[in-house]
Amino acid sequence: MMKLDGLAAFVAITEAGSISAAARRLGLAKSVVSERLAELERILGARLIQRTTRKLALTEGGQTFLPRAQQILYQAQAATAELAERRGTLAGPLRVSGPVGFGILHLGPALNQFLRAHRDIDLTLELDDGFVDAAAGGFDAVIRHGPVGDTRLVAKRLATTRRVLVASPAYLAEKGVPSTMAELSGHCGVLYANRDADWRFAGPDGWMVLRPRAALRVNNGLLMRDAALAGLGITLLPTFFVHGELASGALVRVEIGMEAEGAELFIAYPRDRSASAKIAALTASLRRSFGDPPYWDRT
């Protein structure tokens, strides 16, 4: 008879990319995960994963079986959650991905509040500044800052955010304070490496774009903030990264007479799964924690 723990091992190995990573995700020993996969393959009478010394790859049978296995697991988890909801509680696993910097500063504390209210939820949070594939990565939901263009996902807005130009007082004292786009173009920028290094501003005739000279490119907002604090240059960051430093005077806002392009925070989940009560409760809890306008944009 096929067992759910064997299906869970197979799906986790496929999504995590290795037996070791799957074992960490499941909280099991590597040998246990390997045994469960081997038992599942014996029951099915087919090899699902081709093992080599360097990598794992799905066999043709594994590729056929994977979406069915994922759906079976999801349906089992949904049924368990529905029974818990009928008892007036939210329970069971919930796997969420979010960006690193925002996760450390804001998402983590907000999730703590959520979990205090729902003690029976087993939440796993994975922080990654890349655009995580929620549908293929096995996540129940992802938190994203910026547009969600994946048509496989349903996105719900959590908060609107603003981006501001900031620099250290020491840098501005040495290099001068720009007040126009032309003056800004002569300064060094600390740039986000995960997208085009464009700074976009709303001008009277539409969007104006500046491609600054890079003092540093990095794919993490906290490191960008720290580089600005160290006086390396001017950076364009969401206010949720710098609201404390602006309040203390450690960073100064650079005003050029135009508003920088903003963005929104979203929670997104796979379209082929109906929004569970856990996701709905998480969405409502995060909205309450962040506020409208969000607390990092309040004077």
Side-chain angles (χ1 to χ4, degrees):
M1 174 183 286
M2 191 182 306
K3 298 179 180 178
L4 284 177
D5 56 11
L7 292 175
F10 168 60
V11 170
I13 292 168
T14 303
E15 292 176 347
S18 71
I19 293 176
S20 298
R24 289 193 296 271
R25 178 187 295 187
L26 296 172
L28 299 171
K30 182 179 176 182
S31 58
V32 173
V33 176
S34 296
E35 289 169 4
R36 289 182 178 180
L37 173 64
E39 182 185 13
L40 177 63
E41 290 178 327
R42 284 196 299 271
I43 292 171
L44 295 175
R47 177 64 62 88
L48 300 175
I49 295 178
Q50 185 66 44
R51 305 157 180 83
T52 68
T53 56
R54 292 189 176 183
K55 64 178 181 178
L56 301 179
L58 284 176
T59 64
E60 184 177 350
Q63 292 174 354
T64 301
F65 187 65
L66 177 60
R68 303 285 183 104
Q70 290 172 319
Q71 191 63 25
I72 291 169
L73 281 179
Y74 173 72
Q75 292 296 339
Q77 292 169 358
T80 302
E82 183 177 343
L83 289 175
E85 290 161 20
R86 290 185 177 184
R87 295 193 303 268
T89 62
L90 296 177
L94 182 61
R95 189 162 173 252
V96 178
S97 173
V100 177
F102 182 79
I104 293 170
L105 294 177
H106 305 287
L107 183 57
L111 288 176
N112 292 339
Q113 294 185 37
F114 172 71
L115 291 173
R116 280 195 294 269
H118 304 287
R119 300 282 185 174
D120 293 328
I121 287 181
D122 177 11
L123 189 142
T124 299
L125 173 64
E126 296 187 21
L127 299 180
D128 191 328
D129 277 332
F131 284 99
V132 173
D133 188 334
F139 291 99
D140 296 296
V142 295
I143 310 298
R144 285 188 177 169
H145 182 235
V148 178
D150 192 337
T151 57
R152 297 172 300 170
L153 302 179
V154 175
K156 304 289 187 180
R157 186 175 70 85
L158 295 175
T160 298
T161 68
R162 298 164 53 234
R163 290 189 178 101
V164 292
L165 291 166
V166 296
S168 71
Y171 173 85
L172 295 175
E174 178 184 356
K175 302 295 185 180
V177 181
S179 60
T180 65
M181 282 280 283
E183 292 176 357
L184 181 62
S185 66
H187 284 260
C188 293
V190 177
L191 308 179
Y192 187 55
N194 271 4
R195 62 170 177 265
D196 292 338
D198 292 348
W199 289 353
R200 289 166 55 85
F201 301 91
D205 300 318
W207 290 105
M208 299 184 66
V209 176
L210 174 67
R211 294 178 175 84
R213 178 166 49 94
L216 172 68
R217 298 176 189 271
V218 63
N219 66 341
N220 180 270
L222 290 177
L223 294 181
M224 293 171 66
R225 181 197 65 185
D226 290 348
L229 287 168
L232 294 187
I234 298 173
T235 192
L236 180 64
L237 280 173
T239 48
F240 58 69
F241 278 127
V242 295
H243 66 109
E245 288 70 22
L246 289 173
S248 69
L251 290 173
V252 177
R253 184 170 176 180
V254 176
E255 302 278 6
I256 61 167
M258 289 183 287
E259 192 75 16
E261 181 182 29
E264 292 183 313
L265 280 163
F266 291 98
I267 183 169
Y269 56 87
R271 187 177 294 277
D272 60 356
R273 305 176 188 176
S274 59
S276 69
K278 286 184 288 186
I279 296 298
L282 175 60
T283 302
S285 178
L286 293 177
R287 285 173 173 166
R288 286 193 301 270
S289 294
F290 300 151
D292 186 15
Y295 61 83
W296 53 78
D297 276 343
R298 297 174 198 160
T299 56

